């Protein structure tokens, strides 16, 4: 019985380490100040939990493909602080960053622009799912050390480099600052 418990414990620890490594928990975060934008966007407004925006992103990517437009970079602009606002009321904009003219839009899709401005930019090659746990605290520490104040919504830009390659995704986090 003792050997079975040891085997189960070792297996669980090994799986936990594998999963943490796969998601990028041991990867670094590159943080800098940068002027970014403007970005022309096609988006939809979303109300609800931030972890449920993926269906909206997939819908927009599918529509853009049907219009013969690429959507190489998707984004989420997260308008509310989930530590303050009830999960069911969280607001966001999600969609594609485009170049050129936008396609004919179906109901619910909008065209807009994320303005050029100064951001604290964090680049992370791990899973965006662990970004709030890994990236946000490091950016907060950076802003405190640099005496910067966040002045707007966080924008996350997702770029998939390859579907077949492991770790072929980059998430760029933009925190607007003064």
């Amino acid at each position: 019985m003792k050997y079975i418990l040891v085997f189960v414990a070792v297996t669980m620890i090994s799986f936990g380490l594998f999963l943490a490594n796969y998601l990028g928990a041991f990867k670094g975060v590159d943080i800098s100040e940068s002027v970014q934008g403007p970005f022309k966007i096609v988006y939809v407004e979303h109300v609800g939990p931030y972890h449920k925006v993926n269906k909206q992103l997939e819908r927009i990517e599918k529509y853009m493909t049907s219009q013969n437009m690429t959507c190489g970079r998707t984004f989420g602009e997260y308008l509310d602080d989930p530590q303050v606002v009830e999960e069911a009321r969280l607001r966001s904009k999600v969609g594609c960053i485009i170049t050129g003219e936008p396609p004919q839009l179906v109901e619910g899709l909008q065209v807009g622009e994320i303005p050029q401005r100064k951001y604290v930019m964090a680049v992370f090659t791990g899973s965006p799912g662990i970004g709030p746990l890994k990236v946000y605290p490091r950016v907060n520490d950076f802003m405190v050390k640099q005496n910067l104040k966040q002045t707007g919504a966080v924008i996350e830009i997702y770029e998939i480099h390859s579907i077949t390659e492991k770790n072929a995704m980059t998430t760029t986090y933009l925190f607007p600052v003064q």
Side-chain angles (χ1 to χ4, degrees), residues 3-13:
Y3 293 112
I4 293 173
L5 290 176
V6 169
F7 175 75
V8 169
V10 167
T11 302
M12 289 177 62
I13 291 169

Side-chain angles (χ1 to χ4, degrees), residues 52-68:
K52 294 189 176 182
V53 300
N54 200 37
K55 287 183 182 182
Q56 298 292 340
L57 285 173
E58 289 172 358
R59 179 181 138 222
I60 293 171
E61 287 176 317
K62 184 177 178 181
Y63 179 74
M64 296 295 282
T65 301
S66 76
Q67 299 298 304
N68 295 320

Side-chain angles (χ1 to χ4, degrees), residues 7-66:
F7 175 75
V8 169
V10 167
T11 302
M12 289 177 62
I13 291 169
S14 297
F15 180 73
L17 289 172
F18 166 78
L19 188 59
N21 184 56
Y22 180 77
L23 294 174
F26 305 118
K27 291 185 178 228
V29 179
D30 296 323
I31 302 173
S32 62
E33 292 179 53
S34 178
V35 174
Q36 295 285 317
F39 300 109
K40 194 182 301 184
I41 58 174
V42 173
Y43 68 96
V44 64
E45 293 178 346
H46 174 81
V47 177
Y50 287 156
H51 67 273
K52 294 189 176 182
V53 300
N54 200 37
K55 287 183 182 182
Q56 298 292 340
L57 285 173
E58 289 172 358
R59 179 181 138 222
I60 293 171
E61 287 176 317
K62 184 177 178 181
Y63 179 74
M64 296 295 282
T65 301
S66 76

Side-chain angles (χ1 to χ4, degrees), residues 80-151:
D80 297 312
D81 182 347
Q83 295 180 2
V84 176
V85 177
E86 179 184 334
E87 188 177 68
R89 296 175 186 247
L90 292 171
R91 298 170 301 132
S92 58
K93 296 178 183 177
V94 295
C96 291
I97 296 174
I98 62 171
T99 57
E101 293 302 312
Q104 293 290 336
L105 299 179
V106 294
E107 187 175 332
L109 291 182
Q110 300 178 50
V111 174
E113 183 178 274
I114 297 171
Q116 179 178 14
R117 63 186 302 181
K118 182 179 175 184
Y119 294 96
V120 168
M121 180 174 74
V123 179
F124 180 58
T125 58
S127 169
I130 66 168
L133 303 173
K134 176 127 180 136
V135 177
Y136 283 54
R138 285 176 173 77
V139 169
N140 187 50
D141 291 346
F142 178 88
M143 286 195 285
V144 167
K145 288 178 186 171
Q146 299 298 321
N147 199 27
L148 297 169
K149 181 174 171 40
Q150 186 173 335
T151 59

